[in-house]
Amino acid sequence: DVLFSSLSHLQFRLARCSCLFSWSKSKRESRLIQERRRKRQPGPPRLELVVAHPREEEMAGLDGGGDAEEGATHARGGGGAPPPWREQLTARGLVASLAVGAMYSVIVMKLNLTTGLVPTLNVSAALIAFVVLRGWTQALARLGFAARPFTRQENTVVQTCAVACYSIAVGGGFGSYLLGLNKRTYEMAGEDTEGNVPGSYKEPGIAWMTGFLLAVSFVGLLALVPLRKVMIIDYKLTYPSGTATAVLINGFHTPHGDAMAKQQVNGFTKYFAMSFFWSFFQWFYSGGDNCGFSQFPTFGLKAWQQTFFFDFSLTYVGAGMICSHLVNLSLLLGAILSWGVMWPLISDLKGDWYSADIPESSMKSLQGYKAFICVALILGDGLYNFVKIVALTIKNLFDSSKLKNAKKGEDMPVLDELHRNEVFTTDNIPSWLAFSGYLGLTFIAVIAIPMMFHEMKWYYVVIAYLLAPALGFCNAYGAGLTDINMAYNYGKIALFILAAWAGKDSGVVAGLVGCGLVKSLVSISADLMHDFKTGHLTLTSPRSMIIAQAIGTVMGCVISPLTFFLFYSAFDIGNPEGYWKAPYALVYRNMAILGVEGFSALPQHCLQLCYGFFGFAVAANLTRDLCPPKYGRWVPLPMAMGVPFLVGASFAIDMCIGSLIVFTWHIIDKSKAALMVPAVASGLICGDGLWIFPASLLALAKISPPMCMAFRSTN
């Protein structure tokens, strides 16, 4: 009975399994039939997510980092562990970084020594780094050589190294505080000016400039390394420029991004070649003073005399395509206000407001009004934003601590964020190494800098380095919130304090050197955090990032002085009537003189005008912040308005043409414009910038252009 019962039970189970199998088989067959039918019918349209990189909002700041971060998450694509940090640092990557960094050092040096206005080029550098390395790997593949795969981590490291290299050219003071030490700027500021004491100058030199940069550039790398986790993970600061760069790099390394990258590479190559050969063509017609297309009287000779003309500079057309419309329109407004209204009116008051016997290039003449009103606008804008960012930083820190205590343990990070955080914290940089390195570099700087500049006492350096971590944290936190790097404003504050502290005999030199010291410390810390944010979103090791940053800084400390001397030897740098005006050298020296002597250094009635423009700068910023966004976004930027006061109107017209191209392109084809504008702008800037190399060599070889194209009045 037991056996029969067991057999019956087994038969029942087998029958049930057979039924289930038959049902499963029939269901599977039915599903296959339905799948075949579905394939015969046209399905719904497929949607692809394309992460478009937002244009950099230079000087105006950039918000919306959350959306960009989400885009970076989507663009990251495939999973898998990132390569070890040693594999992210490659020999080919360092060679590519050197090439890209050197090229951009030339470009930004040209911008520094002409107008002093340098747009954010990080995204452009990421594109060029991708172009160089992708071309490298494809060339090796065509030759039959096996090449290491080109990963987003390597792309990020190359971009970081290249940006660190050319950032020395941007912020090293070659067009501002270091150039303000030379004899020509000393003479332009007025040898009889109070505070501008005889002998308070130091001619540029490759040796001391390289030594100074090496002494001040590395401390900023170590000042905030122990706080990187706090800034990126705990506070979740957006760092919009770093996030935007990560979005671009992540987008390149996806199947769809590869197709987009090919279009961008083709566009870059086309406009690079066009820009280079156009600059070469222009050279033939520039054989003399005020000759060539760069002096073309587009709007007539009367307007040309007031610098209103299009000078066919594709560098500034490309820069205008990168900068926001607000920046470009602010430049144009400043040019109209100064060169169209104020300077002609003040010139008519010659003999009343200032002596008619003094040349207009003297600081006691029209040049003084230009320089000090420009300083007033810059200081008003800078002081307002400094107070605003510091207040915003304190408020945000306070709110974050309250929110953290209130919601402790409630928020659970998503899996993708956990993965990024894990990668970001895996390759730790020991805090003891950062602290000991900081102390060692401080000791070196305390000895080296007073040896270079006897006016700079050792205790000035000690105080600057003691304050650097706190100032660097404030600046890096503010940059993470607003994308505005306030390093120049910290430097200006140090300039005024040290100039007043050092006194009349050594105040100018001490102020200029102290400005460079503090500015370098504070700026590099913020730049490093932007790079860490990019690395966080691209799953790049922070150890490889900081090593790349250090290598790039060494490259920049060597390349930038050499690049500067190429320009300094080949061109007439600092001539207020020429192309290479380097306006900020005179601005910074005048700031130092103001710090020493106060308002007694100003020409007649200049103080009242400075008060007015300082107040205008503060009022404009207040209006922008207090008005609704739809109205506030039309308020001009005082910092941008101040640049043409010294430089002239021609470059503002160039940049507005770039803005007009972008505006028109967006009307015709918005998606194509969003994709191609960064590539086209980069091509225009790089092509024109690369021509500087052969042009400089021709000038050094005393080879002049064969003809002069100039325009003269027939009256």
Side-chain angles (χ1 to χ4, degrees):
D1 290 339
V2 174
L3 180 61
F4 178 79
S5 176
S6 299
L7 288 172
S8 299
H9 183 68
L10 179 62
Q11 186 178 7
F12 171 77
R13 296 291 298 271
L14 288 172
R16 185 181 177 190
C17 289
S18 176
C19 290
L20 287 172
F21 177 78
S22 300
W23 176 80
S24 176
K25 183 178 179 182
S26 63
K27 186 175 181 181
R28 189 164 57 250
E29 289 174 351
S30 175
R31 192 184 298 120
L32 288 172
I33 292 170
Q34 291 177 3
E35 187 71 20
R36 291 193 191 105
R37 287 176 181 172
R38 253 198 317 268
K39 286 182 178 179
R40 294 192 194 104
Q41 297 175 355
R46 297 176 61 190
L47 297 177
E48 289 184 328
L49 177 64
V50 179
V51 181
H53 164 64
R55 293 176 66 235
E56 298 289 329
E57 299 293 333
E58 174 70 14
M59 302 168 69
L62 179 66
D63 203 359
D67 295 338
E69 186 167 341
E70 183 181 354
T73 302
H74 287 298
R76 189 169 56 83
W85 70 269
R86 287 185 177 86
E87 294 182 11
Q88 298 172 17
L89 285 163
T90 60
R92 69 181 183 186
L94 295 179
V95 173
S97 301
L98 179 62
V100 175
M103 180 174 68
Y104 274 84
S105 294
V106 174
I107 292 168
V108 300
M109 193 67 73
K110 176 189 175 182
L111 296 172
N112 264 330
L113 297 177
T114 50
T115 65
L117 183 66
V118 182
T120 300
L121 299 172
N122 292 24
V123 173
S124 175
L127 172 63
I128 305 305
F130 177 83
V131 169
V132 171
L133 280 177
R134 178 54 62 90
W136 183 316
T137 55
Q138 288 179 348
L140 288 178
R142 288 174 183 171
L143 293 173
F145 295 100
R148 181 196 298 266
F150 178 37
T151 63
R152 73 193 67 207
Q153 287 79 21
E154 186 179 5
N155 199 163
T156 304
V157 167
V158 171
Q159 187 264 349
T160 298
C161 188
V163 170
C165 178
Y166 79 75
S167 292
I168 301 297
V170 175
F174 296 100
S176 54
Y177 48 85
L178 289 187
L179 187 60
L181 290 167
N182 77 336
K183 187 175 182 180
R184 183 172 200 166
T185 309
Y186 158 76
E187 292 172 348
M188 287 173 58
E191 296 181 62
D192 57 343
T193 302
E194 293 291 331
N196 195 35
V197 297
S200 59
Y201 59 84
K202 186 179 182 70
E203 282 298 302
I206 293 178
W208 75 259
M209 281 184 161
T210 304
F212 178 78
L213 292 173
L214 288 170
V216 303
S217 297
F218 286 92
V219 181
L221 294 179
L222 300 174
L224 296 186
V225 165
L227 298 177
R228 63 185 178 85
K229 179 179 176 294
V230 175
M231 308 285 269
I232 303 297
I233 296 177
D234 296 343
Y235 288 142
K236 294 182 173 62
L237 296 176
T238 56
Y239 289 100
S241 290
T243 301
T245 306
V247 169
L248 187 72
I249 292 174
N250 282 328
F252 282 154
H253 296 271
T254 59
H256 182 72
D258 192 53
M260 292 168 56
K262 286 181 181 177
Q263 294 184 54
Q264 290 180 315
V265 169
N266 291 335
F268 169 82
T269 306
K270 175 182 175 182
Y271 285 93
F272 174 89
M274 185 185 78
S275 178
F276 181 84
F277 285 110
W278 171 246
S279 300
F280 175 54
F281 174 75
Q282 286 188 82
W283 177 80
F284 285 95
Y285 298 91
S286 58
D289 295 333
N290 297 327
C291 294
F293 286 91
S294 62
Q295 298 293 328
F296 195 91
T298 321
F299 309 111
L301 288 173
K302 196 74 173 177
W304 174 80
Q305 291 172 358
Q306 297 297 330
T307 72
F308 283 95
F309 57 92
F310 176 51
D311 64 3
F312 294 90
S313 173
L314 296 186
T315 294
Y316 285 107
V317 173
M321 295 176 70
I322 292 175
C323 290
S324 69
H325 299 313
L326 181 60
V327 170
N328 298 330
L329 292 176
S330 299
L331 289 168
L332 185 60
L333 178 61
I336 293 171
L337 180 62
S338 56
W339 291 90
V341 179
M342 290 182 60
W343 305 156
L345 290 176
I346 294 177
S347 295
D348 292 340
L349 296 171
K350 183 189 296 184
D352 184 11
W353 280 23
Y354 58 92
S355 174
D357 299 328
I358 302 175
E360 289 194 351
S361 59
S362 170
M363 293 305 296
K364 296 293 185 182
S365 181
L366 181 62
Q367 185 69 17
Y369 294 94
K370 294 178 183 179
F372 286 112
I373 292 174
C374 176
V375 168
L377 273 173
I378 292 171
L379 288 179
D381 186 86
L383 183 62
Y384 176 88
N385 282 289
F386 175 79
V387 173
K388 172 187 168 183
I389 297 300
V390 170
L392 186 64
T393 299
I394 295 171
K395 179 180 180 299
N396 200 275
L397 283 170
F398 182 70
D399 292 344
S400 297
S401 63
K402 287 202 306 183
L403 192 65
K404 190 174 181 181
N405 293 331
K407 295 189 174 182
K408 193 171 183 179
E410 291 183 15
D411 295 332
M412 291 295 292
V414 296
L415 187 62
D416 191 72
E417 186 178 353
L418 286 172
H419 186 203
R420 291 201 303 264
N421 293 347
E422 181 185 4
V423 172
F424 191 71
T425 54
T426 298
D427 295 323
N428 273 324
I429 301 159
S431 296
W432 65 266
L433 181 62
F435 290 134
S436 58
Y438 189 88
L439 291 175
L441 291 171
T442 301
F443 181 74
I444 293 171
V446 167
I447 295 174
I449 293 176
M451 291 176 64
M452 298 179 198
F453 308 95
H454 64 85
E455 297 90 348
M456 192 72 180
K457 306 301 181 185
W458 65 269
Y459 45 88
Y460 297 164
V461 183
V462 171
I463 292 172
Y465 277 70
L466 287 175
L467 294 176
L471 297 177
F473 175 80
C474 292
N475 187 46
Y477 193 94
L481 293 174
T482 64
D483 206 34
I484 301 175
N485 191 334
M486 302 294 293
Y488 276 104
N489 292 296
Y490 286 97
K492 289 166 193 167
I493 292 171
L495 184 151
F496 283 113
I497 292 173
L498 285 176
W501 188 5
K504 183 176 180 179
D505 292 336
S506 55
V508 171
V509 175
L512 290 171
V513 175
C515 170
L517 184 65
V518 172
K519 184 263 164 194
S520 297
L521 295 174
V522 173
S523 177
I524 291 174
S525 297
D527 292 341
L528 182 64
M529 287 300 159
H530 275 287
D531 291 333
F532 274 148
K533 184 66 177 181
T534 303
H536 179 246
L537 294 176
T538 56
L539 299 179
T540 306
S541 166
R543 188 173 295 179
S544 64
M545 295 285 287
I546 197 166
I547 292 174
Q549 184 94 8
I551 294 172
T553 302
V554 172
M555 292 178 182
C557 290
V558 175
I559 291 172
S560 295
L562 294 174
T563 305
F564 171 77
F565 266 87
L566 179 66
F567 285 89
Y568 199 72
S569 303
F571 306 113
D572 188 17
I573 303 297
N575 180 4
E577 304 299 327
Y579 181 73
W580 305 92
K581 294 180 175 67
Y584 281 102
L586 184 59
V587 167
Y588 272 75
R589 189 167 189 100
N590 283 326
M591 286 183 188
I593 293 171
L594 277 178
V596 173
E597 288 297 322
F599 297 128
S600 62
L602 298 177
Q604 188 179 5
H605 301 297
C606 188
L607 179 59
Q608 291 82 356
L609 290 171
C610 289
Y611 280 148
F613 279 94
F614 184 93
F616 166 77
V618 174
N621 281 289
L622 271 173
T623 304
R624 186 185 310 106
D625 290 339
L626 297 178
C627 284
K630 64 178 181 179
Y631 301 117
R633 65 192 182 96
W634 295 105
V635 178
L637 300 170
M639 184 78 75
M641 287 180 62
V643 177
F645 277 56
L646 267 179
V647 177
S650 60
F651 89 99
I653 293 171
D654 297 344
M655 295 188 69
C656 283
I657 288 175
S659 203
L660 180 62
I661 292 171
V662 173
F663 180 75
T664 307
W665 201 346
H666 272 272
I667 291 175
I668 296 172
D669 190 345
K670 189 172 184 178
S671 59
K672 186 72 174 290
L675 175 67
M676 295 302 297
V677 161
V680 172
S682 301
L684 294 176
I685 293 171
C686 294
D688 192 26
L690 191 64
W691 168 249
I692 293 295
F693 272 122
S696 303
L697 295 176
L698 290 170
L700 291 173
K702 307 298 182 184
I703 299 175
S704 301
M707 63 188 82
C708 170
M709 181 180 71
F711 297 84
R712 300 288 183 265
S713 175
T714 56
N715 296 330

